Amino acid sequence: MARLALLSVSNKTGLIDLARSLVEEFEFDLISSGGTAQALKDAGLPVTKVADYTGSPEILGGRVKTLHPRIHGGILARRDVAQDVTDLENNQIRPIDLVVVNLYPFEETIAKLGVTLAEAVEQIDIGGPAMLRASSKNFAHLTVLCDPAQYNEYLQELRQNNGAASLEFRQKSALKGFLHTASYDQAIASYLAKTQQYTLSGTQLQSLRYGENPHQPAAWYQTGTTPTGWVAATKLQGKELSYNNLVDLEAARQIIAEFTDTPAATIIKHTNPCGTALGNTIVEAYQKAFNADSVSAFGGIVALNRPIDNDTASELTKTFLECVVAPSCEADAQEILAAKSKVRVLTLADLSTGPKETVKTIAGGFLIQAADDAIADTSQWQVVTERQPTPDELAELLFAWKVCKHVKSNAIVVTSDRTTIGVGAGQMNRVGSVKIALEQAGDKAKSATLASDGFFPFDDSVKTAAAAGITAIVQPGGSLRDKDSIKAANDLGLVMVFTSIRHFLH
């Protein structure tokens, strides 16, 4: 008797090619449900509908299709247990040798704007997870596939093993099935629980050489079933990505995501920007960012918001860099970068979309917060000084504020000509950050702009900034002594703007 394959998929990528090989090359019989059966029929492939096989029609608008003893008996039967074999024979149930199932697109549904609870609930698959779990449990006797990426590997297994999949392959596929249902359930639970309960799950992509330090084991996990973010990036060349590379790449992505309308470049060291700039071209933006602090740029992580062209590639090869990421890379530019074969060059078309929340572990639990994705809106800012900013000064203040948001607190950023010229990061007091940023800026601080991620508790930082030549300051405001800072700014002829929002980054 021909072997039996059950195909019931939401994502029909590769379905027809797989089914045709099963039928024509390996003589499988096919049973299928709903839209999958129709797709196979339209392709001219012989298929029996699940309802015809079970003798039970699909009911409840398709909610009940595969929840039937002839399906689950065929999946769960142990071929080496006599009573199981007898039960199959007595109930006219054929053993199922292959189950190909993927689930309703729940995560894709809840990601849509305006989706209702009722719409989300209808995308909670019941029969699919039941079949996945049952077939994964019985991997000793059948194969389960839940990802189109497995199809060719499965067919190769059959070709290399006289039409049978190895136990090793079946067990590996079963693990993938359980991981798939676990991730699916996690997404549903998180959606329904909202703030009452939070669960986190992922599928390991690869073990990393180590974490932040060589004595710390580490691994990279993917959340969800659809590759997004860095999982969706393409590595064009270079060594394997490290834990620190990925952390710094994400910091670079967050900064570059602030700038979409103008070519922008940022260079990251230890999650802080050592240089960020805008330019008329991407090569100009990179050159400005590099020259902002060329010493710190050595061994840095570069993010660009425009494709890498030949001129930019040539500039990138002039110093040692760990990683470069951009939306794309021209073919000629890729050849130029190949001269630095160890630098990791990645392309990621969507550099703007990031996680909606952040997770930090603490002893006994973890903390969840919404991502700091507030969009700066200068129309909501308050000019608190007598002197008003010119349009160019306001644009510079906005640039400084966007960069400052991504510097470790206490954060001070000094900019000029849409380029960072001084960065004070992670100091224990704001005065110290001001001094570091101004010292780095040096003479360039004259007529420059200063941004602070938190308010000034005293007027000393305003006076220090003015003495260095700063002419405009942007800060959240909200100190009990704001009036002292405002008075100092007025006395010294500065522009000062309050944003009424702070951007601490711990």
Side-chain angles (χ1 to χ4, degrees):
M1 180 182 293
R3 287 176 293 176
L4 187 61
L6 169 60
L7 283 63
S8 180
V9 294
S10 174
N11 177 3
K12 295 178 176 55
T13 302
L15 170 70
I16 302 305
D17 290 340
L18 171 67
R20 182 167 285 111
S21 292
L22 292 175
V23 171
E24 297 178 359
E25 190 175 351
F26 299 104
E27 300 181 341
F28 273 84
D29 288 340
L30 306 181
I31 57 175
S32 191
S33 61
T36 306
Q38 189 62 51
L40 296 173
K41 182 178 179 181
D42 291 345
L45 292 166
V47 59
T48 300
K49 287 187 176 181
V50 165
D52 295 333
Y53 175 73
T54 62
S56 298
E58 295 184 7
I59 61 173
L60 307 181
R63 281 189 167 196
V64 177
K65 297 189 286 283
T66 57
L67 298 171
H68 192 279
R70 291 202 78 190
I71 297 298
H72 286 272
I75 292 174
L76 285 166
R78 295 159 292 186
R79 320 294 168 82
D80 56 355
V81 175
Q83 186 59 54
D84 285 10
V85 174
T86 300
D87 286 342
L88 293 183
E89 293 172 350
N90 290 342
N91 291 279
Q92 297 182 316
I93 298 173
R94 290 178 63 181
I96 296 174
D97 290 277
L98 173 66
V99 175
V100 182
V101 176
N102 54 58
L103 310 178
Y104 293 169
F106 180 80
E107 289 180 277
E108 292 84 347
T109 299
I110 62 175
K112 297 176 182 176
L113 292 176
V115 67
T116 66
L117 176 61
E119 290 169 334
V121 166
E122 283 307 308
Q123 291 302 317
I124 298 176
D125 202 332
I126 302 301
M131 289 188 291
L132 269 180
R133 290 177 59 81
S135 49
S136 295
K137 173 179 179 176
N138 205 27
F139 69 84
H141 301 282
L142 76 160
T143 304
V144 58
L145 306 176
C146 62
D147 184 345
Q150 297 173 288
Y151 296 171
N152 285 334
E153 187 179 1
Y154 173 69
L155 292 174
Q156 285 298 110
E157 276 283 311
L158 298 186
R159 292 172 185 135
Q160 294 170 5
N161 296 289
N162 297 318
S166 65
L167 178 60
E168 180 183 13
F169 178 82
R170 298 199 304 272
Q171 185 169 347
K172 181 176 70 172
S173 298
L175 172 60
K176 192 172 181 70
F178 281 123
L179 290 171
H180 189 33
T181 57
S183 176
Y184 194 76
D185 287 341
Q186 183 267 327
I188 296 168
S190 295
Y191 174 76
L192 295 177
K194 300 297 183 184
T195 58
Q196 285 74 41
Q197 186 175 16
Y198 188 94
T199 55
L200 181 66
S201 69
T203 303
Q204 183 173 318
L205 290 179
Q206 65 182 77
S207 294
L208 301 173
R209 286 183 62 196
Y210 50 79
E212 287 180 299
N213 298 290
H215 63 277
Q216 295 174 265
W220 180 8
Y221 286 79
Q222 171 186 334
T223 56
T225 56
T226 302
T228 59
W230 297 108
V231 180
T234 299
K235 185 160 74 72
L236 302 180
Q237 67 170 57
K239 298 183 293 185
E240 288 296 319
L241 292 167
S242 71
Y243 178 97
N244 289 335
N245 289 158
L246 288 162
V247 171
D248 282 336
L249 280 166
E250 176 61 14
R253 186 204 61 76
Q254 291 176 18
I255 291 183
I256 215 69
E258 297 282 353
F259 308 103
T260 57
D261 298 333
T262 305
T266 189
I267 306 174
I268 297 292
K269 288 292 287 291
H270 304 292
T271 73
N272 282 306
C274 54
T276 302
L278 307 183
N280 294 315
T281 63
I282 195 63
V283 67
E284 180 188 7
Y286 172 71
Q287 287 171 328
K288 290 169 67 177
F290 178 80
N291 292 331
D293 185 356
S294 59
V295 174
S296 297
F298 184 85
I301 306 288
V302 175
L304 311 168
N305 71 346
R306 295 290 189 275
I308 304 172
D309 55 22
N310 288 8
D311 291 341
T312 309
S314 296
E315 289 297 316
L316 290 167
T317 60
K318 290 180 180 179
T319 191
F320 167 66
L321 298 170
E322 285 282 351
C323 303
V324 177
V325 63
S328 61
C329 181
E330 296 176 2
D332 290 345
Q334 190 172 342
E335 289 186 14
I336 294 171
L337 290 168
K340 293 277 189 174
S341 61
K342 292 184 179 180
V343 63
R344 303 159 179 90
V345 179
L346 297 90
T347 58
L348 179 58
D350 181 7
L351 284 164
S352 298
T353 304
K356 294 297 182 183
E357 54 206 4
T358 63
V359 182
K360 287 192 176 183
T361 57
I362 59 174
F366 53 88
L367 306 174
I368 306 292
Q369 67 170 353
D372 186 5
D373 55 7
I375 299 173
D377 182 359
T378 57
S379 68
Q380 302 299 312
W381 290 4
Q382 179 186 7
V383 180
V384 295
T385 49
E386 296 168 0
R387 190 163 83 77
Q388 300 292 302
T390 65
D392 186 68
E393 284 178 318
L394 188 60
E396 191 71 43
L397 287 163
L398 178 60
F399 171 77
W401 182 244
K402 286 182 174 182
V403 177
C404 191
K405 172 182 176 180
H406 300 283
V407 176
K408 293 288 187 180
S409 299
N410 288 309
I412 298 293
V413 172
V414 179
T415 75
S416 179
D417 188 28
R418 314 302 188 269
T419 305
T420 56
I421 57 175
V423 177
Q427 299 305 300
M428 285 63 73
N429 65 78
R430 197 159 298 278
V431 174
S433 290
V434 170
K435 289 180 178 178
I436 289 172
L438 291 174
E439 181 179 350
Q440 186 182 20
D443 292 339
K444 294 179 181 178
K446 293 177 180 178
S447 300
T449 294
L450 182 146
S452 172
D453 69 339
F455 63 64
F456 292 124
F458 304 100
D459 62 5
D460 49 359
S461 291
V462 176
K463 293 177 179 178
T464 300
I470 296 295
T471 57
I473 293 175
V474 57
Q475 58 137 316
S479 168
L480 293 174
R481 295 182 175 84
D482 274 347
K483 63 180 185 301
D484 295 338
S485 293
I486 295 170
K487 181 179 183 303
N490 281 327
D491 291 344
L492 296 165
L494 274 61
V495 168
M496 188 154 67
V497 175
F498 284 2
T499 64
S500 299
I501 183 172
R502 80 177 192 198
H503 287 301
F504 280 180
L505 181 61
H506 286 85

